[in-house]
Amino acid sequence: MKGSNILDTNRLKALMSFDVMDTNHEAIYDEITSLAASICNVPISLISLVDDKRQFFKSHFGVDYNETPLSNSFCKYIINDDVDLLTVENAENDDRFKNFSIVKNDPGIRFYTGASLTSPDGHRLGTLCVLDTKVRQLDDTQIDGLKTLAKQVVHLFELRKAKKLELDQKLDLERKGKLLDNIVSATGIGIWERNLANDSLTLNEQGLQIFDLDKNALKGFKTEDWFSRIHPDDLPEVKKKMHDCLNYPSNGCNVQYRLLLKNGKYKWIYEEGKVLEWSEDKQPLLMYGTIQDVTEKKTFATELQRVKNNLDAMINSSRDLMWSIDLDFNLITANTAFHDLVEKIQGQPFKEGDPVFSDAVPQQVTDKWKEYYKRALSTGRFSVKQKIQDPSKFWTTYGLTSFDLMYNKDGEAIGITCFSKDITSEILSQQVLLSAKEEMQKIMDTSLDIICTLDEEGYFISINKAVEDIWGYAPKDIIGTRYTELIYEEDIISTEKNAESVLSGNKVVNFENRYVHKDGHTVPMLWSSNWDEKDRVYYCISRDNTEKKKAELQLENSERRFKTLVQESSDIISILDAEANFKYVSPSSTKVIQISPEEFEGQNALDYIHPDDLERVKSKFYQITQIDSIKIEPFRFKNKFGEWRWFVANVSNQLHEPSIQGVIITSRDINETKNAKEQLIQSERRYKTLVQEGSDMICIADKNAIFSYASPTSTRVLEITPEEFVGTSAFDYIHPDDYDTVYNEFMKILEVSQVNIKPFRFRHGAGHYVWLETAITNKFDEPTIKGIVINSKDVTTKVQHLNAIEEQNAQLKKIAWTQSHIVRAPVARLMGLVDLLRDDKEKLKPEEREQILNFIITSADEIDHVIKDIVENTINAIDIEDIK
């Protein structure tokens, strides 16, 4: 595996190639961490990317920070140890991690499992990991799910990278396509596409002109229509070339022919084409090619032949080298300058048909020229520049040699034409121009403002280094970018309108807009620009407008604060003369005391003071002539309805300030505050009565039941002082038999607002246990408490009474059960004797009836004795004093 070292440069390059570090959160990655946490049943899941200094979290589920240093990184061990998976069941027991701050401190990490994020070329970028504050293990299904999600993260990175590459390629293709269209339009070459399946033809604008067709005529233009317009003498060759081109395999074809025009004349056409698409059975489906109007070339062939001799003379008189060779690198022809140079090198010139390689030159030179000729044969036209050092003359010259293929009348390559000229003066001129450009760039780069040029479509052509400080980009990142890709979205329309104005000839100064910094924040900019019609470029200077905007914002905020303080404040600001007459009152007087500023005109402030406070306020006010500022303690001031309101006031002497010439008084209504203080005193008195002097004990504890407060009543109820309670756990006082019940009830408070705990035994300060009945309330959200409020009442006597009653009820049930059997026999006899008398119907004899009555009396006496015994046994079993 390649990514086995944190500092491995190839690994870091692979990580940077995805352009994902320090990017904003994206929902698709957050969904993965959420799913990972759910699958593994843990509270925390991270997509962690590790560079050479830190780990950045592309997504963090369960924590609220974006990165941590490597010193706290579990994930770095996956990279350094070069493993696909790392599991730590208990970090507290692992020497590698036990001293990590996230293990020792909050959040107290114990469990970690991370799956490697491995790029397709084998570099470990980071991990998809899950963490918990509890010790745990994952099963195989969870681990497989985590690995699958890790692969999905890498797939998303790859997709992100591919989309960026695709966008870059699309922009490049659009630029190249536009350039190609311009080139094609400039050369006058027609482009055609022939669909052989439906025998249809498509032509570009130049093609339509060359074929002398319009778009409507092209719709029904078939191959036979094309043949019908070809000169009869040229048609056989055209059909043969087309037949050869349509036979698989085909490398393409070219042909010249005469085409009939609408005016009855012919023009010469040169056409090239190639089959681009074949069917499965090798039948041609689609052809593509070009056409040129070569009429002038053909017309002037005779003229060209006529001037050939003159041309030869001109070529031979040139000091530039011209020669041509055949496909076997033998000389076809050359001008005089070429022959003179060869003769100088090897003592004699080449003859036509001789190889153009000589033993008189070094082998490495021969090998270089062979490569040039081979390249011309394989690629066609190209040029090379050569630097030639002549030691005998102590100077350097430069040459430019061009190579091109030479064709016969059938368009077949038959050789190579070569042209070489001395470009020393041009090179020297370019060097001077380049040097000047470098000097100009140095000057531009010293500017603190952005200096740049843009083409007509708004793409940056050049920009100075100030862009790094202002926008965060290197100049190379900006060049070739359209300005709309960098402007804050809301400013694009106004900026484009401004650019149109500049393009129409208007010079723009101090135009404002916002650009987006590389890190995402907006930068206010101030632009000046103009359009150069000759060079067809915008020349622009832009300044970072941040400080100016801050100053404007501060001024605006200052004005807003002034308006709020003076005009909308709840305080009343007034200006009085030395005699306490009103000169100015702020509009807030209407809101505070229902008296408008106009109503105060001509009034004296002392007329509104309560009689009991008047002398004190007056004395304070007149001290202002000796003291610059004073404070008047609470006093009563009359509102519009004659009600007295409590105020305090600060008085400032501004009698000598030309813009004021008076005493400034800032008055604040404290009527509600005075009432609130009274209510607070009453509340504190009630609190003291209820909490400190009540019969219940009130405590505050944390989620572990550790006491942070106990009311003074703890001393009276349990003989344990509040100081002894603080810092101890409530569970240390619970009777062992009641511990589990109380603990389970207490833990419910973390989920509900209030829990009532039935009586339980609590250890008294003297060592014995008492029964407490308790209500606990969750007040963690209350800032003044931030804990659990525990209200406990001693119910020992109540519990003892209940226990005694239950014991007595058990004894009564036992007595009732025993005596019921004794009572049941005489009652049964008595009932039988009664039934016997009821059914007598004069059948019994008198003596028999008498006997039955005696039996009834005997049974009744027996029942009476039994009842007396039950009452006596019950009295003996129950101590009445015990249940009082």
Side-chain angles (χ1 to χ4, degrees):
M1 187 68 68
K2 296 178 180 179
S4 60
N5 192 310
I6 291 288
L7 302 179
D8 178 43
T9 55
N10 291 329
R11 186 192 76 83
L12 294 174
K13 286 181 181 178
L15 175 61
M16 293 301 110
S17 71
F18 290 99
D19 194 24
V20 71
M21 294 293 286
D22 297 313
T23 55
N24 294 327
H25 280 248
E26 298 178 51
I28 191 168
Y29 296 103
D30 292 341
E31 290 171 0
I32 290 178
T33 52
S34 174
L35 180 58
S38 176
I39 291 174
C40 299
N41 193 25
V42 296
I44 301 171
S45 178
L46 309 169
I47 295 177
S48 173
L49 301 173
V50 182
D51 62 15
D52 57 338
K53 296 183 180 64
R54 49 155 187 167
Q55 57 181 3
F56 165 70
F57 302 142
K58 176 59 182 171
S59 175
H60 49 83
F61 178 85
V63 296
D64 58 359
Y65 40 83
N66 294 326
E67 61 177 53
T68 65
L70 287 179
S71 58
N72 266 336
S73 174
F74 286 81
C75 304
K76 68 181 179 183
Y77 285 90
I78 285 187
I79 297 174
N80 276 335
D81 296 344
D82 197 16
V83 295
D84 292 326
L85 187 76
L86 173 65
T87 296
V88 180
E89 295 180 1
N90 188 350
E92 196 175 29
N93 295 336
D94 195 312
D95 291 338
R96 295 174 295 176
F97 312 113
K98 64 182 182 182
N99 291 321
F100 279 13
S101 62
I102 60 174
V103 175
K104 294 171 63 178
N105 305 318
D106 187 61
I109 297 300
R110 294 294 178 270
F111 168 76
Y112 168 91
T113 289
S116 175
L117 301 177
T118 306
S119 67
D121 53 359
H123 293 291
R124 300 196 186 278
L125 311 175
T127 69
L128 170 63
C129 58
V130 292
L131 305 94
D132 200 346
T133 56
K134 301 177 182 178
V135 176
R136 63 165 59 251
Q137 291 180 335
L138 299 182
D139 56 33
D140 291 343
T141 300
Q142 291 171 320
I143 291 174
D144 289 342
L146 191 64
K147 288 181 177 179
T148 300
L149 290 176
K151 292 178 181 178
Q152 184 62 29
V153 172
V154 175
H155 290 330
L156 290 174
F157 287 171
E158 283 292 313
L159 181 59
R160 177 194 190 94
K161 184 176 181 180
K163 285 184 177 179
K164 184 177 184 301
L165 179 60
E166 180 183 356
L167 178 60
D168 292 342
Q169 291 175 342
K170 180 181 178 182
L171 294 175
D172 185 53
L173 287 175
E174 288 177 353
R175 286 194 289 267
K176 289 180 178 178
K178 189 175 296 183
L179 177 61
L180 180 60
D181 289 342
N182 292 335
I183 292 173
V184 170
S185 177
T187 58
I189 296 175
I191 299 175
W192 56 264
E193 180 183 297
R194 188 180 299 278
N195 188 323
L196 300 171
N198 59 18
D199 194 15
S200 63
L201 180 68
T202 302
L203 292 165
N204 69 346
E205 192 65 33
Q206 287 80 7
L208 287 170
Q209 293 176 7
I210 294 171
F211 265 54
D212 196 18
L213 291 172
D214 56 37
K215 292 184 178 179
N216 292 328
L218 186 63
K219 293 180 180 178
F221 195 78
K222 304 295 183 180
T223 302
E224 288 301 322
D225 297 322
W226 174 46
F227 286 159
S228 68
R229 294 181 57 187
I230 297 175
H231 195 284
D233 294 344
D234 301 331
L235 184 58
E237 183 180 5
V238 172
K239 288 186 174 181
K240 180 180 182 302
K241 289 288 184 75
M242 185 172 181
H243 178 269
D244 294 340
C245 192
L246 297 179
N247 284 332
Y248 184 87
S250 171
N251 294 324
C253 60
N254 57 78
V255 65
Q256 292 188 38
Y257 58 89
R258 285 162 288 184
L259 185 72
L260 182 63
L261 304 179
K262 294 177 182 178
N263 59 12
K265 297 181 180 180
Y266 283 94
K267 69 164 60 172
W268 279 96
I269 302 294
Y270 174 75
E271 185 168 350
E272 290 184 303
K274 184 177 181 179
V275 177
L276 295 181
E277 186 176 341
W278 302 85
S279 66
E280 293 183 359
D281 58 352
K282 310 305 181 185
Q283 293 299 312
L285 298 177
L286 185 67
M287 286 188 73
Y288 183 86
T290 62
I291 53 174
Q292 288 179 272
D293 184 347
V294 294
T295 304
E296 292 186 3
K297 293 181 181 180
K298 283 291 186 178
T299 303
F300 291 107
T302 304
E303 182 64 19
L304 289 174
Q305 185 62 39
R306 184 184 67 80
V307 300
K308 184 178 183 299
N309 294 332
N310 292 334
L311 182 60
D312 288 342
M314 292 175 61
I315 290 174
N316 288 324
S317 66
S318 173
R319 297 178 61 185
D320 298 331
L321 307 180
M322 302 179 191
W323 72 101
S324 61
I325 61 174
D326 62 20
L327 301 181
D328 296 321
F329 309 144
N330 297 317
L331 182 66
I332 297 175
T333 186
N335 69 345
T336 302
F338 178 82
H339 286 302
D340 290 345
L341 178 62
V342 173
E343 185 175 5
K344 181 179 179 182
I345 294 173
Q346 63 180 17
Q348 61 180 5
F350 289 129
K351 296 178 181 178
E352 292 184 359
D354 289 346
V356 292
F357 303 117
S358 171
D359 296 335
V361 298
Q363 185 61 40
Q364 62 182 17
V365 176
T366 298
D367 292 340
K368 178 178 69 174
W369 281 92
K370 281 185 178 179
E371 290 300 320
Y372 288 159
Y373 295 143
K374 289 179 180 178
R375 179 180 171 186
L377 291 175
S378 61
T379 64
R381 180 181 302 175
F382 75 97
S383 299
V384 294
K385 291 181 180 179
Q386 293 177 298
K387 181 179 179 181
I388 305 168
Q389 188 75 41
D390 190 339
S392 64
K393 298 181 179 180
F394 301 103
W395 67 60
T396 301
T397 59
Y398 298 88
L400 176 66
T401 303
S402 300
F403 301 85
D404 200 0
L405 287 175
M406 186 167 53
Y407 301 93
N408 61 14
K409 67 175 183 178
D410 296 325
E412 298 171 343
I414 59 173
I416 305 169
T417 60
C418 309
F419 175 80
S420 183
K421 69 175 182 176
D422 187 341
I423 59 169
T424 303
S425 61
E426 297 176 18
I427 293 295
L428 293 177
S429 298
Q430 289 177 359
Q431 289 176 347
V432 171
L433 181 62
L434 181 61
S435 177
K437 183 178 180 182
E438 290 175 349
E439 291 298 323
M440 179 59 69
Q441 189 65 43
K442 289 179 182 178
I443 295 172
M444 290 175 59
D445 288 340
T446 61
S447 172
L448 297 178
D449 296 336
I450 290 177
I451 303 174
C452 60
T453 58
L454 295 88
D455 65 15
E456 188 173 355
E457 296 179 353
Y459 289 93
F460 283 95
I461 300 172
S462 66
I463 195 164
N464 65 337
K465 288 185 178 179
V467 71
E468 294 184 7
D469 296 328
I470 298 176
W471 296 345
Y473 293 96
K476 64 180 180 64
D477 298 329
I478 297 296
I479 293 173
T481 302
R482 197 169 191 272
Y483 70 87
T484 53
E485 297 178 24
L486 302 170
I487 294 178
Y488 185 61
E489 185 176 2
E490 294 180 2
D491 297 344
I492 290 177
I493 295 177
S494 62
T495 304
E496 288 181 332
K497 290 182 178 178
N498 178 269
E500 292 174 1
S501 176
V502 175
L503 188 61
S504 64
N506 298 319
K507 185 176 181 180
V508 173
V509 179
N510 295 334
F511 171 72
E512 296 184 13
N513 65 3
R514 290 165 289 181
Y515 269 62
V516 179
H517 193 278
K518 186 176 182 180
D519 64 12
H521 75 271
T522 57
V523 182
M525 302 298 298
L526 188 66
W527 291 86
S528 295
S529 59
N530 68 288
W531 170 253
D532 189 304
E533 185 64 30
K534 179 180 178 182
D535 295 338
R536 306 294 294 175
V537 295
Y538 293 95
Y539 288 97
C540 308
I541 297 177
S542 182
R543 174 168 296 175
D544 186 345
N545 208 25
T546 303
E547 294 305 320
K548 180 184 176 184
K549 286 296 183 181
K550 285 182 180 178
E552 291 176 352
L553 181 61
Q554 288 174 353
L555 179 59
E556 181 182 345
N557 290 338
S558 176
E559 292 175 350
R560 187 180 296 111
R561 284 194 296 271
F562 173 78
K563 181 178 179 180
T564 301
L565 289 172
V566 176
Q567 299 186 14
E568 301 176 5
S569 172
S570 59
D571 293 348
I572 301 175
I573 300 174
S574 54
I575 301 176
L576 281 65
D577 61 18
E579 302 301 323
N581 295 311
F582 287 109
K583 295 177 63 178
Y584 166 82
V585 179
S586 64
S588 56
S589 67
T590 304
K591 178 175 60 178
V592 178
I593 54 177
Q594 297 78 47
I595 303 175
S596 68
E598 293 75 17
E599 293 177 272
F600 278 115
E601 292 181 3
Q603 301 292 318
N604 189 281
L606 299 177
D607 294 338
Y608 291 83
I609 305 299
H610 193 284
D612 294 345
D613 304 329
L614 180 60
E615 289 303 320
R616 175 170 58 85
V617 173
K618 184 187 297 185
S619 174
K620 280 281 189 180
F621 177 80
Y622 288 128
Q623 291 178 16
I624 200 64
T625 57
Q626 291 84 32
I627 305 174
D628 289 339
S629 63
I630 58 175
K631 181 176 181 179
I632 302 178
E633 298 302 327
F635 61 91
R636 283 159 288 186
F637 194 91
K638 184 167 56 179
N639 68 6
K640 186 170 185 176
F641 307 112
E643 301 167 341
W644 296 105
R645 306 284 298 182
W646 284 95
F647 281 83
V648 292
N650 289 321
V651 184
S652 174
N653 185 349
Q654 298 294 323
L655 291 168
H656 302 295
E657 171 60 42
S659 62
I660 298 177
Q661 296 182 352
V663 178
I664 298 178
I665 299 182
T666 305
S667 305
R668 175 168 295 176
D669 186 339
I670 61 167
N671 206 67
E672 302 302 328
T673 304
K674 292 278 287 184
N675 294 337
K677 285 183 178 179
E678 291 296 328
Q679 293 175 359
L680 180 61
I681 292 172
Q682 294 296 328
S683 176
E684 289 177 347
R685 186 177 294 115
R686 286 194 296 272
Y687 170 78
K688 183 176 180 181
T689 302
L690 292 173
V691 176
Q692 298 186 6
E693 300 176 5
S695 60
D696 291 354
M697 182 177 68
I698 300 174
C699 301
I700 299 175
D702 62 15
K703 63 180 180 180
N704 296 317
I706 303 298
F707 290 115
S708 60
Y709 168 81
S711 64
T713 54
S714 67
T715 305
R716 183 171 65 254
V717 176
L718 296 171
E719 294 185 11
I720 301 175
T721 66
E723 293 76 16
E724 291 175 313
F725 264 126
V726 172
T728 64
S729 172
F731 296 123
D732 294 340
Y733 298 87
I734 307 299
H735 192 283
D737 293 345
D738 301 334
Y739 184 91
D740 290 342
T741 300
V742 176
Y743 177 83
N744 292 333
E745 290 297 308
F746 181 84
M747 296 309 292
K748 292 178 181 178
I749 200 62
L750 300 179
E751 300 176 358
V752 299
S753 60
Q754 190 173 55
V755 175
N756 293 314
I757 302 178
K758 294 180 179 180
F760 59 91
R761 284 161 287 185
F762 194 90
R763 190 172 72 246
H764 192 272
H768 62 276
Y769 286 93
V770 297
W771 289 89
L772 296 183
E773 188 175 64
T774 297
I776 56 177
T777 306
N778 187 333
K779 289 294 181 180
F780 282 108
D781 294 334
E782 172 57 49
T784 60
I785 298 177
K786 293 183 178 180
I788 299 170
V789 178
I790 303 174
N791 293 75
S792 300
K793 179 184 292 186
D794 186 345
V795 294
T796 302
T797 302
K798 175 182 176 181
V799 171
Q800 289 175 344
H801 285 174
L802 291 175
N803 289 342
I805 290 172
E806 288 179 0
E807 183 178 350
Q808 292 159 1
N809 285 341
Q811 293 177 356
L812 289 174
K813 287 180 181 179
K814 182 178 179 181
I815 293 171
W817 175 261
T818 302
Q819 297 301 327
S820 64
H821 290 80
I822 299 174
V823 174
R824 189 176 294 116
V827 170
R829 288 197 301 272
L830 181 62
M831 294 301 296
L833 292 171
V834 171
D835 289 339
L836 184 62
L837 289 176
R838 185 183 296 120
D839 297 334
D840 176 25
K841 297 180 180 181
E842 306 299 331
K843 293 180 180 180
L844 293 176
K845 297 177 179 179
E847 59 273 15
E848 290 176 336
R849 292 175 59 85
E850 182 67 23
Q851 186 178 8
I852 289 172
L853 288 174
N854 289 333
F855 285 148
I856 289 173
I857 294 171
T858 302
S859 296
D861 290 339
E862 186 178 355
I863 290 172
D864 181 58
H865 286 300
V866 169
I867 290 173
K868 289 180 179 179
D869 289 341
I870 290 174
V871 171
E872 184 177 351
N873 290 336
T874 301
I875 293 173
N876 292 334
I878 299 176
D879 186 355
I880 299 300
E881 293 298 325
D882 289 341
I883 61 174
K884 289 183 180 180

